[in-house]
Amino acid sequence: MEPKYILIVKVPRGLVIRDTPRPQGQGGTNMRAVPVGTTLMCYDIHNIQGVDYARLVPQNPLRPEWVRVAEADHSIEYVDVIPIETPLNAESSALVSALNRIAEALEKIK
């Protein structure tokens, strides 16, 4: 599975990475903390009980890692989310662009 997003920690106090997408008060275990400016790779973002959590590419593949993306009301955004353009997406958009140019050329010939 390829990462889909790059996350950049933007809160001054840093960010806590947990083993599950839930706060410590609901059973989430703190695995490690990362400072502001840290770049993390993310597979997907899930909305769980109204809160966005990112499933990270873990340091240890046997232990999942999750971070909170923002508060439920988006009053605090913990990370900047940057989509990664995969080569497949780049190739398919180039193909679509080429097909559109061919279709336009055929329309002009008619």
Side-chain angles (χ1 to χ4, degrees), residues 1-4 41-46 55-58 86:
M1 179 181 249
E2 294 292 320
K4 294 181 184 175
M41 302 296 282
C42 163
Y43 290 124
D44 225 344
I45 296 176
H46 302 273
R55 184 169 57 104
L56 301 178
V57 174
T86 62

Side-chain angles (χ1 to χ4, degrees), residues 35-82:
V36 64
T38 301
T39 302
L40 304 165
M41 302 296 282
C42 163
Y43 290 124
D44 225 344
I45 296 176
H46 302 273
N47 188 289
I48 299 170
Q49 296 178 348
V51 180
D52 290 336
Y53 286 91
R55 184 169 57 104
L56 301 178
V57 174
Q59 288 182 339
N60 176 350
L62 300 176
R63 300 184 70 198
E65 294 183 351
W66 293 82
V67 294
R68 185 178 268 194
V69 174
E71 287 293 329
D73 60 0
H74 292 277
S75 60
I76 300 174
E77 291 184 352
Y78 298 105
V79 295
D80 282 328
V81 180
I82 303 166

Side-chain angles (χ1 to χ4, degrees), residues 99-110:
L99 290 173
N100 285 335
R101 286 195 305 271
I102 291 169
E104 289 170 5
L106 291 173
E107 285 294 320
K108 291 178 182 177
I109 293 173
K110 289 182 181 179

Side-chain angles (χ1 to χ4, degrees), residues 11-29:
V11 288
R13 67 179 183 268
L15 195 60
V16 174
I17 295 175
R18 294 193 165 88
D19 65 339
T20 60
R22 57 187 174 187
Q24 188 173 6
Q26 294 179 358
T29 302

